[in-house]
Structures are given as C-alpha cells and as structure tokens.
C-alpha cells in the first residue's frame, strides 16, 4: 500500500508541461507541431494517421504535419524522471572514484552492469563518463578485445547512454572509424547485430547511424563485411517496429554509394519496403523511412529496374500517397517519378495508373508540396493521364526539365 501511495503521489505531481495533451501521460518522445504545441510522438502520429489535419489542442488547420523533436523538453523530462527514480530507490552503490577505478581496471559483465547503473542513476554521473576521453577509449578498446556477446551488448548500451552528450558522436567516430591501428572496430557491431538480443541490435544500428558523419565514414561502414546484410535483416523483423525503423534509418545513413545500394537491391530491400508499405497499420516513422529507402535506391539504374519490376511495390507506393502526409508522400512521388518518368518503365506506368495514381498525384498537388515535388507531380500527371486515357483540366504547358535526382 505504501508503494502504491508513493507512486500515486509522484503521478499527481507530474508537471503539466511533461504530459502529452492527448494521452495525459508523461511524454517519452516529445515532438512539436508547426503550431508550437508539443505531443508525445506515438500519440500525435496516431492522430495524424486517422486523417486529422488539425492540431488537437488548438484545432488549427495544419499547413504542415511534419513534427520536430523537442530535445530541450525531452532532456527536462529525463532529468525529472531521474530525480523521481532517486526519490523512491536507493542511491547508486558506486562513487565517481569507484567508477573511475572500474574503467581503469579489468572490465567484465558485472563491472559493466555497475557502470550502467551508475550512469543511469543521475545526469551528473552520465556526464562524468561521457566527458571522459579515457573512459570512452577504454570502452571502445574492450568492445574490440572481447569475444563475449554479452560484454559487447553491455558496451553498446554504454555507447547508447552517452551518445546524447555533446562531442561524443565525434569521439566515437574517431575511435571506431579513424583509429588508424589496423584493427577492425566494426566487426563487433556485426556480431551484436547477428547474435545479440533485440534491444542491443536496435542500439547498435543507432550507433552506426550516429557515427556516419561524412562520406568517408559512410563508405567504411557500408564496406565492412556483413554490416549491410545485418542491418537489412533488421528491416525484415515483422514483429518489432523499433528494429525495422532502426534498420532503415541506419541503412539510409550509411548506404550512400551505388555499390551499397546495389547490394541492398540484391538482398531484397525493394521487396521488403513494398511489404512494409502493405502492412495494415504501420508506424508513421517506418513508412517515412521505407519510402525514403525506395527513393534512395531509385537514384541508380538497378534500383529503378527493381522497383519497376515489382508491381506490388509500385501499387503500394501509390496507395500510401496522402495516407501518411508530409515526408512519406514526397518520397513516394520521387519514387514514382523515377520509374514512370525518368526510367519510362511501361509496366510501372500501367501499375501506377491502375492503382488510381493520377487522382492521387493530383491530390498531392492540391494539398501543397515543395517545388521539386510539384514539378515531378506535373510530369507524372502527363504520363499517367496518357496511360489511363483520362482527361485533366491542368494547363497543357509543363516545366519538364528535371534536376531533382541525378541518375548514375
């Protein structure tokens, strides 16, 4: 009873600013609409997926449904939660001196577990580790030296905890990708992605995305044996939305070369993306990343051929237009333009026309979109109108010079 009373008191004292206006729960991933109102990501995405085009709190019509992470509020909530946890739990058993001694000494699963508890116990402890170059170097070193998957899972959790702190991203990039000692610092990530638990796989993908700072880093990651395939495997996890989203995000960050895109096409990324789009009720973030992935591979000849040859993928891309407004719709238009206009794939044109593509593209144009998307819509209308035999009241003159996608 005492525990229940304590929890109830803590709940009552939650600052209103930390509550989602829709669910009234403490926000875990606060994002802001263009109206300035902040919601929990899962709640506002469900609202938008139901077809609403207004801000739930103000009922203003939304000129854009794009959301922006509210990082300041997220940090304040994390600080409040850490203090709330401290109020109902014993303080961390480690002092900073003891934590420093662990870092310098022999690391094992038990000591890493204590270090993770130490970092989770307070913001100050987390910064203590994140701001220590020697600590990060030691964890990276042990990540490579150890052959135990459990050790590597724990170190990935350490990386994930410290990744939000300033300059850690650059430090990890330097230690993992630019150490210059000839050792393979990426193979442990492949091992975790292959053999680790579901949570550690997701965190590994996020770290790889985090350290892909520039073309050189992206090439090193995508060229590392097994990494692309392991990340692709994450995207096929039908029962784990977080894994699918993390896998797609990492692939978008690292698979930037034609060679990497060709490998993903060989693995089946077009078929997988089409399957994701056909899922009855997918998360908005997953849809956005799946369509972005298709747009990415459509920048090469092989990708356009694979998409054009997959009727289901083309049809599902058309079906998703306007159902998930914003980035996903613009990605979808770029995909359709690539195969129907740039590649002039007759099968893709027929499939898009049969899937009511002309009407969907017209709706996108009417809803308001970027200038490049509007240009592609005009060209799509011209192609699909001819293919479907439909008439349109659009002006007969089109600006057909396209520079949105530079094909290989």
């Amino acid at each position: 009873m005492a525990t229940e009373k304590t929890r109830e008191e803590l709940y009552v004292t939650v600052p209103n600013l930390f509550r989602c206006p829709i669910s009234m729960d403490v926000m875990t991933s606060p994002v802001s609409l263009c109206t300035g109102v902040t919601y929990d990501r899962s709640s506002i995405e469900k609202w938008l997926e139901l077809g609403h085009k207004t801000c739930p709190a103000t009922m203003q019509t939304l000129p854009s449904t794009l959301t922006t992470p509210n990082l300041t509020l997220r940090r304040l909530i994390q600080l409040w939660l850490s203090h709330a946890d401290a109020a109902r739990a014993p303080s961390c058993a480690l002092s900073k001196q003891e934590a420093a001694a662990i870092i310098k000494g022999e690391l094992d699963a038990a000591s890493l577990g204590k270090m993770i508890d130490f970092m989770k116990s307070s913001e100050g402890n987390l910064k203590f580790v994140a701001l220590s170059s020697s600590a990060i170097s030691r964890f990276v070193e042990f990540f490579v030296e150890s052959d135990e998957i459990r050790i590597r899972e724990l170190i990935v959790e350490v990386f994930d905890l410290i990744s939000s702190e300033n300059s850690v991203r650059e430090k990890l990039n330097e230690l993992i990708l630019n150490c210059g000692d000839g050792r393979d610092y990426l193979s442990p990530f492949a091992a975790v992605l292959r053999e680790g638990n579901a949570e550690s796989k997701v965190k590994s993908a996020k770290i790889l995305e985090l350290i892909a700072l520039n073309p050189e880093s992206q090439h090193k990651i995508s060229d590392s044996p097994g990494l692309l395939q392991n990340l692709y495997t994450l995207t096929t996890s039908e029962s784990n939305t977080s894994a699918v989203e993390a896998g797609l995000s990492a692939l978008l960050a690292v698979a930037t070369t034609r060679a990497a895109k060709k490998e993903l096409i060989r693995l089946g990324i077009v078929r997988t993306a089409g399957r994701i789009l056909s899922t009855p009720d997918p998360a908005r973030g997953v849809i956005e990343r799946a369509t972005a992935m298709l747009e990415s591979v459509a920048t090469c000849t092989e990708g356009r051929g694979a998409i054009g040859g997959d009727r289901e993928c083309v049809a599902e891309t058309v079906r998703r237009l306007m159902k998930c407004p914003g980035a996903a719709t613009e990605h979808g238009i770029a995909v359709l333009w690539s195969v129907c206009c740039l590649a002039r794939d007759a099968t893709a044109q027929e499939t898009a026309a049969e899937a009511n593509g002309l009407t969907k593209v017209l709706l996108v144009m009417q809803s308001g979109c970027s200038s490049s998307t509007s240009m592609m819509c005009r060209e799509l209308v011209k192609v699909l109108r001819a293919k479907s035999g439909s008439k349109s009241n659009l002006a007969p003159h089109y600006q057909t010079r396209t520079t949105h996608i530079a094909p290989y």
Side-chain angles (χ1 to χ4, degrees):
M1 290 296 293
T3 301
E4 292 177 359
K5 183 178 180 181
T6 300
R7 287 176 179 170
E8 184 178 352
E9 289 172 351
L10 284 170
Y11 181 80
V12 170
T13 58
V14 174
N16 287 333
L17 181 65
F18 296 169
R19 295 182 190 272
C20 173
I22 297 176
S23 68
M24 297 307 295
D25 291 330
V26 177
M27 291 182 278
T28 58
S29 181
V31 295
S32 300
L33 289 176
C34 58
T35 57
V37 182
T38 298
Y39 303 89
D40 193 57
R41 182 184 295 277
S42 61
S43 296
I44 194 61
E45 286 184 350
K46 287 179 182 178
W47 170 267
L48 295 172
E49 285 168 3
L50 289 172
H52 298 295
K53 295 185 178 180
T54 57
C55 173
T58 66
M59 296 311 295
Q60 291 176 259
T61 300
L62 296 172
S64 170
T65 57
L66 294 178
T67 57
T68 304
N70 192 329
L71 300 179
T72 300
L73 184 57
R74 180 182 176 185
R75 175 64 69 186
L76 289 173
I77 292 172
Q78 289 175 339
L79 283 171
W80 180 84
L81 288 172
S82 68
H83 289 309
D85 289 340
R88 63 172 181 260
S91 60
C92 179
L94 289 183
S95 66
K96 289 183 178 179
Q97 291 75 18
E98 290 170 328
I102 286 178
I103 293 169
K104 294 177 182 178
E106 290 295 324
L107 294 173
D108 55 23
S111 60
L112 283 169
K114 290 179 180 179
M115 283 298 303
I116 290 170
D117 290 341
F118 170 79
M119 287 186 284
K120 287 181 176 180
S121 66
S122 75
E123 187 73 12
N125 288 351
L126 181 60
K127 286 185 178 295
F128 174 78
V129 177
L131 298 178
S132 169
S133 295
S134 61
I136 298 176
S137 299
R138 183 72 181 96
F139 288 129
V140 171
E141 185 79 12
F142 196 51
F143 190 53
V144 178
E145 290 177 350
S146 178
D147 292 327
E148 295 182 39
I149 194 65
R150 182 54 187 157
I151 295 290
R152 287 174 167 173
E153 287 176 338
L154 290 168
I155 295 178
V156 163
E157 185 170 358
V158 171
F159 292 159
D160 182 64
L161 284 169
I162 63 177
S163 63
S164 61
E165 297 298 324
N166 292 334
S167 76
V168 168
R169 180 183 185 185
E170 290 76 12
K171 186 65 177 176
L172 287 174
N173 173 278
E174 178 186 350
L175 292 170
I176 295 171
L177 297 175
N178 297 291
C179 56
D181 63 3
R183 289 192 291 175
D184 183 359
Y185 284 74
L186 289 170
S187 60
F189 285 103
V192 174
L193 287 167
R194 187 174 57 252
E195 305 168 26
N197 58 44
E199 186 178 0
S200 64
K201 288 179 180 179
V202 170
K203 290 176 179 177
S204 291
K206 289 180 178 179
I207 297 302
L208 290 170
E209 178 185 359
L210 186 80
I211 62 176
L213 292 175
N214 49 49
E216 182 183 1
S217 301
Q218 294 156 7
H219 295 178
K220 287 181 179 179
I221 295 171
S222 63
D223 290 345
S224 180
L227 271 184
L228 278 185
Q229 181 167 357
N230 294 143
L231 288 171
Y232 167 73
T233 300
L234 271 189
T235 70
T236 64
S237 306
E238 295 186 27
S239 61
N240 190 334
T241 301
S242 296
V244 174
E245 188 168 349
L248 287 171
S249 291
L251 287 174
L252 284 167
V254 305
T256 56
T257 65
R258 184 179 184 182
K261 292 172 186 178
K262 286 176 64 177
E263 176 62 12
L264 288 179
I265 294 163
R266 186 191 69 79
L267 290 170
I269 194 65
V270 171
R271 180 180 63 254
T272 297
R275 177 186 56 75
I276 292 170
L277 296 180
S278 68
T279 304
D281 190 26
R284 181 183 178 126
V286 172
I287 291 297
E288 287 187 355
R289 285 160 180 78
T291 51
M293 191 75 253
L294 288 173
E295 181 181 3
S296 177
V297 298
T299 58
C300 65
T301 304
E302 295 82 1
R304 292 189 290 275
I307 295 170
D310 191 322
R311 296 181 69 95
E312 180 183 7
C313 183
V314 174
E316 291 300 330
T317 301
V318 172
R319 189 174 70 87
R320 281 292 167 188
L321 296 178
M322 299 300 295
K323 284 196 173 184
C324 191
T329 288
E330 298 217 347
H331 294 318
I333 290 294
V335 172
L336 294 173
W337 177 85
S338 295
V339 295
C340 294
C341 300
L342 183 61
R344 300 186 181 279
D345 189 304
T347 301
Q349 292 172 354
E350 291 173 2
T351 303
E354 291 169 2
N356 204 23
L358 178 59
T359 300
K360 284 294 191 75
V361 173
L362 287 170
L363 286 173
V364 173
M365 292 176 68
Q366 293 170 4
S367 67
C369 51
S370 67
S371 59
S372 59
T373 300
S374 179
M375 175 194 67
M376 287 186 281
C377 283
R378 288 189 177 91
E379 294 195 17
L380 278 167
V381 166
K382 188 175 181 180
V383 169
L384 296 178
R385 185 175 58 179
K387 208 69 180 177
S388 61
S390 300
K391 293 184 178 180
S392 170
N393 293 323
L394 287 177
H397 301 293
Y398 295 93
Q399 169 56 264
T400 58
R401 182 173 177 271
T402 55
T403 57
H404 178 75
I405 296 179
Y408 292 121

